[in-house]
Structures are given as structure tokens and as C-alpha cells.
Amino acid sequence: TPEMYANLKPTMIKKGHRPNNALLVGTKRKDDDGYWKVKTAEPNHWELIHVQTWERAHGKRPPGHKIFFLDGNRDNCELENLACVTDAQHLAITRNNLRSPDPELTAAGVLAAKILTKAIERERGRTGAVKRERLQTETRRSFFRVKTGLRSMTMQ
């Protein structure tokens, strides 16, 4: 109502003024999921620091790809700790528990996920549902062997 608006008007932020708690461009903060972000433009444009780091070194991230941390530590945004994988590869890494606190073992898990997704893509293009189920069963068995090997390597 007009009366309410008249009462609230003195407390409203005036056009062209910034609120006292506005953050400057270049400010870094951690979001609710634990990822570091940096403010890159006004009024509220934020970018993930790990994605920005990877894109500076390799160019624009391809569509349908994710940048993730090899050691699982979201505070470690160094280029050596980042990997670019497709959404399907990321899903295979997560489903088959191919991550490890050791970045080298996770890198091996990334390679295994690439092989798995490529095999599934090839089979889906050429075969029916029966062969696809057999392939998925075989790949699960082989990934169990890979996981077991990765775990034994971490215990040594």
C-alpha cells in the first residue's frame, strides 16, 4: 500500500548506493558446499576458483565436463590437483569408488573410468540390451579387481 511504502522509503537503499556489506570484486569466500569462489564482476558474479585455475591453463571447459580434485581436498586448487572429466566418467568414478586421498591413485581411477565409459559407449552403439547387461556385469567385475588392486596399493 502507499502508506507502507512511504514508511519504508527512508530505510531503502538509494539508487547508485552500495550496501555496507557489499563485497568487492576479487573477494574470495567459501560456499556452503566447501568450494572456494572469487567475485569477478558486479553486481554478484562469482566463479569457482578451481574451474578458473584449470581454464587459465587449458582454455574454456568443454560442455558436459567437470573439474574435480584428485586428492579430494577442496582447499587445494593447484593445477596439478585438478582433472577434467566428462559427466559420464565422473559418474563412473563416483559409483565405483575410484577416488583416493592419494592423487596418483585417483588419476589411475580416472583412466579406469575413461576405459569403462568408452566400452559402454561402444557397446550401446552396436548391441542390444542382453549384450549390454553382460558387458556391465563384466566391467563391474573388472572394476572390482581394479579397486581391490588400488586398495592393496594404499595399504602398503
Side-chain angles (χ1 to χ4, degrees), residues 108-154:
V110 169
L111 293 175
K114 287 181 180 181
I115 293 168
L116 172 66
T117 55
K118 194 60 158 177
I120 290 172
E121 283 174 16
R122 284 183 146 191
E123 287 299 316
R124 283 188 178 163
R126 287 189 278 175
T127 62
V130 174
K131 286 187 178 179
R132 188 177 311 127
E133 287 176 19
R134 191 179 72 228
L135 172 73
Q136 288 174 345
T137 304
E138 290 171 5
T139 52
R140 281 192 191 108
R141 286 181 187 146
S142 64
F143 269 106
F144 178 75
R145 287 186 215 113
V146 169
K147 267 198 300 192
T148 307
L150 290 176
R151 285 190 186 134
S152 66
M153 289 171 65
T154 58

Side-chain angles (χ1 to χ4, degrees), residues 87-129:
D87 292 340
Q89 292 164 357
H90 190 262
L91 182 63
I93 291 166
T94 304
R95 279 187 177 167
N96 294 297
N97 196 23
L98 297 174
R99 290 182 199 235
S100 167
D102 183 0
E104 291 178 7
L105 293 177
T106 303
V110 169
L111 293 175
K114 287 181 180 181
I115 293 168
L116 172 66
T117 55
K118 194 60 158 177
I120 290 172
E121 283 174 16
R122 284 183 146 191
E123 287 299 316
R124 283 188 178 163
R126 287 189 278 175
T127 62

Side-chain angles (χ1 to χ4, degrees), residues 3-118:
E3 299 167 358
M4 240 165 114
Y5 184 79
N7 290 339
L8 293 174
K9 191 169 182 175
T11 62
M12 292 181 185
I13 297 173
K14 310 296 185 266
K15 189 174 182 179
H17 291 163
R18 290 172 45 95
N20 294 335
N21 61 350
L23 298 174
L24 301 173
V25 173
T27 302
K28 295 178 182 178
R29 70 176 174 96
K30 207 178 226 189
D31 69 4
D32 295 338
D33 295 324
Y35 293 100
W36 283 97
K37 292 183 170 188
V38 63
K39 187 171 185 176
T40 56
E42 291 291 349
N44 267 331
H45 189 265
W46 295 83
E47 289 184 15
L48 295 166
I49 291 178
H50 68 282
V51 173
Q52 200 178 50
T53 302
W54 191 88
E55 285 182 346
R56 249 190 249 124
H58 300 285
K60 191 87 173 128
R61 175 178 52 163
H65 284 68
K66 295 184 181 333
I67 310 297
F68 82 104
F69 303 94
L70 291 174
D71 67 358
N73 180 4
R74 294 178 181 168
D75 293 331
N76 184 1
C77 295
E78 299 295 321
L79 186 60
E80 299 80 35
N81 188 43
L82 302 175
C84 180
V85 294
T86 65
D87 292 340
Q89 292 164 357
H90 190 262
L91 182 63
I93 291 166
T94 304
R95 279 187 177 167
N96 294 297
N97 196 23
L98 297 174
R99 290 182 199 235
S100 167
D102 183 0
E104 291 178 7
L105 293 177
T106 303
V110 169
L111 293 175
K114 287 181 180 181
I115 293 168
L116 172 66
T117 55
K118 194 60 158 177

